[in-house]
């Protein structure tokens, strides 16, 4: 498993949480929600590459394609 990916995801989560809290305290709840959604999309893009590699290795392992 790639440890650097875990650190990236953890760092992204911390940054998004801090930004969301700052924006909420400033009265900008809608921007806080937007930051949370954007952080989720970025995290999903990071994870989709790993899932794609997993399916590729499973197809080659079982000679499915």
């Amino acid at each position: 498993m790639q440890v650097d990916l875990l650190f990236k995801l953890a760092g992204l989560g911390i940054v998004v949480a801090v930004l969301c809290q700052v924006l909420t305290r400033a009265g900008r709840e809608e921007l806080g929600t937007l930051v949370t959604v954007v952080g989720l999309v970025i995290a999903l893009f990071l994870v989709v590459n790993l899932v794609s590699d997993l399916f590729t290795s499973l197809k080659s392992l079982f000679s499915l394609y």
Side-chain angles (χ1 to χ4, degrees):
M1 175 120 191
Q2 299 173 350
V3 177
D4 60 335
L5 181 65
L6 291 176
F7 286 132
K8 284 180 188 178
L9 288 173
L12 178 66
I14 291 170
V15 168
V16 166
V18 169
L19 283 175
C20 185
Q21 287 296 320
V22 168
L23 289 170
T24 302
R25 302 272 187 221
R28 300 286 194 163
E29 291 86 12
E30 63 277 354
L31 286 178
T33 304
L34 183 65
V35 167
T36 304
V37 170
V38 168
L40 179 64
V41 168
I42 292 171
L44 286 175
F45 275 128
L46 290 173
V47 173
V48 163
N49 290 333
L50 284 179
V51 173
S52 173
D53 292 341
L54 173 68
F55 285 138
T56 303
S57 64
L58 284 176
K59 281 196 294 188
S60 66
L61 179 68
F62 293 114
S63 301
L64 294 174
Y65 195 68

